[in-house]
């Protein structure tokens, strides 16, 4: 049977057009919080100094501009959650003492202020649910039975939870938890062969989730590294649509390999994803594609149209088809971009001057080759974008002002209802545009320090290393591995560790011992302890 790809994909100038193109907005970045090392004279904003971001993360955003993010190091020594809106916010939840190995995932957030995150390697593993209005009331879900990690966890407007679950020594599955009475009903959408020998899927990569409860993800049909891959969208177990395939499956496909970072899925059936295109010279070019329901379109590609290199971080998409992503421009400067399929625009660039709580601030770092942005940008239905950037005084890049968490406010009006969720507003049919997984932590040319499995787990993508900032090994972004400039989901490494060493103040400045001091020593000591313990038997999946 002939693939849709061979009928609909066009490369170069003759690209297929979307049925309803989005408009590119203008942007006004507004600071929401600023993290910094304890002791730095510039202090922090909307949280105390010494509360630090992990090495790989994202900041979800609702239509009414609520946002939430995790803190991997706090003055108290426990993981924490921050929530805010319109420039105000605070740390609203501090995990109790569940053991020094405890990991917490990125947050899922909906317009009702519900927040979900996964806790692993603790004395009380599970999916933690709370509401920003009363964060002291916490509910813990431990479904499905036998799970030992819940990767790329997301929460949609219908109250559903979507994630990739791991069963130690068995395999993985894509799962949706549906609210049912006072609890949740577990629904498997896809399983690896280790979980179900009858499954066609050898390996499941990190998925995206939307408000319709659909999951999008890349699969290996044969052994990891074979390159025999598909990108599918599941609505129920046994009910999925193939969106795209690698050349090993469909010789007419432009996709040599899929990237191992998760795809983004809108409520309107659009999918944004990274992969590699192999040109006539045999070069693998990192490429950002968008599926609009009928055709694939190239939005960005290494060496094309002002882009030097697409960074290896998950894109995000909203229901209008606007896609946000990270890439170097032709001058080698890092930037966050949006594209509507016809054009693209910078949201923010390295060396931009932004407003901050300290006055004008420059997006910069003291080491020119170090990253100034952190984690994966996110977009809502209006086109607002969250990003995290290292800050310095406009005239002195050797002075640390920490990392600013920003909402770049779109000039577009809010969409007409119904269109809700993390991508949209308050109606349950709105959109948490998929993609899940910001201090600056990355580049595109090195071994990933991140993974879409921010909550750890027993798989190698768990990890607990602290992110030292700009001189760290570049972060592969929330994903399962890959190889930086060639983000190959079919690499032999499979999932890779997420960096958990918190960003050193700004997360984009120097990571020398003098700048990080006790935090680095604490992180390294903790890492060695964690690795020693993880070498021993993990025991049961949780302790109640």
């Amino acid at each position: 049977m002939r693939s849709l790809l061979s009928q609909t994909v066009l490369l170069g100038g003759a690209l297929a057009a979307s049925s309803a193109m989005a408009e590119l907005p203008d942007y006004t970045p507004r600071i929401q919080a600023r993290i910094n090392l304890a002791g730095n004279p510039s202090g922090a904003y909307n949280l105390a100094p010494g509360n630090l971001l992990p090495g790989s993360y994202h900041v979800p955003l609702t239509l009414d501009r609520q946002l939430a993010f995790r803190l991997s190091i706090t003055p108290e020594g426990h993981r924490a959650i921050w929530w805010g809106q319109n420039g105000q916010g605070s740390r609203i939840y501090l995990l109790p003492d569940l053991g020094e190995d405890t990991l917490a995932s990125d947050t899922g957030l909906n317009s009702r202020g519900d927040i979900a995150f996964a806790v692993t390697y603790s004395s009380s593993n599970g999916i933690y649910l709370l509401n920003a209005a009363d964060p002291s009331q916490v509910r813990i879900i431990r479904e499905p039975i036998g799970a030992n990690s819940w990767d790329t966890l997301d929460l949609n407007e219908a109250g559903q939870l979507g994630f990739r679950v791991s069963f130690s020594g068995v395999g993985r599955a894509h799962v949706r938890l549906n609210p049912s009475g006072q609890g949740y009903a577990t629904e498997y959408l896809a399983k690896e062969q280790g979980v179900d020998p009858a499954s066609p899927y050898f390996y499941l990569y990190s998925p995206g989730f939307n408000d319709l409860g659909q999951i999008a993800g890349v699969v290996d049909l044969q052994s990891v590294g074979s390159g025999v891959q598909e990108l599918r969208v599941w609505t129920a177990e046994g009910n999925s649509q193939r969106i795209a395939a690698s050349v090993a499956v469909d010789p007419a496909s432009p996709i040599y390999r899929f990237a191992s970072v998760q795809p983004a899925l809108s409520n309107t059936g659009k999918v944004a994803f990274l992969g590699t295109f192999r040109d006539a010279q045999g070069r693998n070019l990192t490429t950002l594609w968008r599926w609009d329901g009928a055709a694939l379109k190239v939005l960005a590609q290494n060496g094309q149209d002002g882009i030097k290199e697409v960074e290896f971080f998950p894109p995000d998409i909203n229901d209008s088809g606007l896609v946000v992503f990270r890439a170097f421009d032709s001058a080698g400067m890092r930037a966050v971009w949006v594209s509507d399929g016809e054009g693209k625009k910078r949201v923010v660039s390295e060396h931009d001057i932004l407003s901050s709580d300290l006055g004008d601030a420059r997006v910069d770092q003291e080491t020119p080759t170090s990253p100034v942005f952190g984690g994966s940008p996110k977009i809502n239905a209006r086109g607002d974008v969250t990003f995290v950037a290292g800050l310095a005084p406009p005239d002195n890049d050797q002075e640390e002002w920490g990392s600013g968490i920003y909402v770049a406010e779109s000039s577009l009006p809010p969409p007409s209802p119904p269109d809700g969720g993390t991508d949209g507003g308050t109606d349950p049919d709105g959109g948490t545009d998929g993609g899940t997984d910001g201090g600056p932590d990355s580049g595109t040319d090195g071994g990933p320090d991140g993974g879409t499995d921010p909550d750890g787990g027993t798989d190698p993508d768990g990890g607990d290393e602290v992110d030292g900032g700009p001189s760290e090994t570049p972060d592969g972004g929330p994903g399962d591995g890959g190889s930086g400039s060639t983000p190959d989901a079919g690499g032999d490494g499979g999932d890779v560790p997420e960096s958990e060493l918190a960003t050193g103040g700004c997360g984009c400045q120097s990571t020398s011992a003098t700048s990080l001091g006790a935090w680095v020593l604490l992180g390294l000591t903790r890492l060695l302890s964690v690795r020693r313990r993880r070498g021993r038997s993990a025991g049961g999946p949780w302790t109640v």
Side-chain angles (χ1 to χ4, degrees):
M1 179 174 176
R2 188 172 173 85
S3 167
L4 278 174
L5 288 175
S6 60
Q7 302 176 42
T8 59
V9 176
L10 298 174
L11 293 177
L15 296 174
S18 170
S19 57
M21 298 312 302
E23 177 186 352
L24 290 174
D26 296 321
Y27 283 101
T28 304
R30 300 193 188 279
I31 195 164
Q32 309 296 309
R34 184 169 54 84
I35 66 163
N36 211 341
L37 285 168
N40 273 0
S42 53
Y45 177 62
N46 279 339
L47 75 172
N51 288 278
L52 306 178
L53 292 166
S56 182
Y57 50 90
H58 65 257
V59 181
L61 182 69
T62 65
L63 178 60
D64 59 355
R65 294 171 177 160
Q66 296 180 56
L67 66 157
F69 55 85
R70 59 179 169 137
L71 296 161
S72 65
I73 284 184
T74 65
E76 297 87 348
H78 304 154
R79 307 302 171 110
I81 302 297
W82 188 98
W83 174 91
Q85 184 178 27
N86 297 325
Q88 301 296 318
S90 63
R91 200 185 72 179
I92 64 169
Y93 181 71
L94 180 71
L95 274 171
D97 185 0
L98 302 176
E100 61 179 328
D101 295 353
T102 299
L103 296 180
S105 76
D106 279 323
T107 55
L109 174 69
N110 66 23
S111 61
R112 292 183 291 276
D114 297 327
I115 298 171
F117 59 96
V119 173
T120 52
Y121 287 110
S122 78
S123 60
S124 186
N125 291 350
I127 299 171
Y128 283 52
L129 294 174
L130 56 86
N131 186 275
D134 186 8
S136 64
Q137 301 298 313
V138 179
R139 182 178 181 183
I140 304 175
I141 299 168
R142 296 185 173 96
E143 298 291 340
I145 294 173
N148 68 315
S149 72
W150 302 262
D151 310 326
T152 54
L153 173 69
D154 207 354
L155 170 69
N156 70 14
E157 285 298 300
Q160 296 171 313
L161 295 157
F163 51 89
R164 183 184 67 172
V165 66
S166 293
F167 301 100
S168 181
V170 177
R172 303 163 188 81
H174 292 334
V175 169
R176 179 172 62 211
L177 296 185
N178 303 302
S180 177
Q182 298 301 308
Y184 285 83
T186 300
E187 186 176 0
Y188 288 88
L189 274 65
K191 300 172 182 175
E192 290 181 357
Q193 292 168 3
V195 177
D196 179 1
S199 171
Y201 311 127
F202 182 87
Y203 189 88
L204 300 174
Y205 289 88
S206 298
F209 189 57
N210 70 8
D211 279 335
L212 304 179
Q214 297 170 325
I215 281 180
V218 173
V219 302
D220 281 328
L221 299 177
Q222 296 180 18
S223 62
V224 175
S226 67
V228 182
Q229 300 173 309
E230 294 179 339
L231 171 63
R232 287 188 167 271
V233 174
W234 290 269
T235 56
E237 185 171 13
N239 185 0
S240 68
Q241 176 189 5
R242 192 178 86 178
I243 300 301
S246 66
V247 293
V249 175
D250 181 355
S253 172
I255 303 161
Y256 176 67
R257 296 282 180 88
F258 290 93
S260 55
V261 298
Q262 68 198 80
L265 175 63
S266 78
N267 300 313
T268 51
K270 302 179 180 72
V271 183
F273 63 95
L274 294 178
T276 52
F277 169 74
R278 177 163 285 187
D279 68 7
Q281 289 73 45
R283 297 175 302 174
N284 291 334
L285 304 178
T286 304
T287 303
L288 172 65
W289 279 280
R290 186 187 66 187
W291 170 261
D292 66 3
L296 279 178
K297 188 164 191 175
V298 173
L299 303 188
Q301 188 176 79
N302 287 4
Q304 301 294 322
D305 194 24
I307 298 294
K308 179 180 180 181
E309 188 170 15
V310 178
E311 289 203 79
F312 191 28
F313 288 85
D316 197 16
I317 189 170
N318 70 10
D319 289 351
S320 298
L322 272 177
V323 176
V324 63
F325 62 99
R326 284 177 54 173
F328 290 86
D329 67 16
S330 55
M333 305 291 279
R334 287 179 168 88
V336 176
W337 309 72
V338 292
S339 174
D340 63 358
E342 293 299 320
K344 54 183 173 292
K345 174 183 285 189
R346 299 168 194 258
V347 177
V348 59
S349 292
E350 187 172 352
H351 296 167
D352 279 358
I353 303 297
L354 306 179
S355 62
S356 78
D357 60 297
L358 297 175
D360 285 347
R362 181 169 158 127
V363 178
D364 212 340
Q365 79 295 313
E366 63 184 15
T367 305
T369 57
S370 297
V372 294
F373 298 109
S376 308
K378 300 290 286 182
I379 193 167
N380 69 7
R382 188 173 185 169
D384 301 324
V385 169
T386 57
F387 67 90
V388 179
L391 302 179
D395 57 353
N396 184 7
D397 63 11
Q398 299 302 296
E399 182 178 346
E400 290 192 12
W401 277 5
S403 283
I405 295 88
Y406 279 85
V407 172
E409 296 181 359
S410 164
S411 61
L412 301 179
S416 301
D419 187 355
T422 303
D423 164 60
T426 58
D427 295 327
D429 53 357
T432 338
D433 285 333
T436 25
D437 339 293
D441 60 348
S442 158
T444 60
D445 55 353
D449 70 359
T452 50
D453 306 320
D455 49 65
T458 59
D459 295 324
D461 52 349
D464 194 41
E465 298 177 50
V466 190
D467 182 348
S471 63
E472 78 220 77
T473 302
D475 181 3
D480 300 292
S483 56
S485 60
T486 4
D488 180 2
D492 295 330
D495 292 352
V496 297
E498 176 205 12
S499 172
E500 274 291 327
L501 189 92
T503 54
C506 73
C508 67
Q509 306 293 336
S510 170
T511 55
S512 64
T514 54
S515 67
L516 291 180
W519 289 112
V520 167
L521 296 177
L522 172 64
L524 292 175
T525 301
R526 184 168 178 268
L527 169 62
L528 292 174
S529 173
V530 167
R531 285 181 170 172
R532 281 194 299 268
R533 276 189 295 276
R534 289 182 187 175
R536 300 192 292 266
S537 172
W542 58 68
T543 301
V544 179

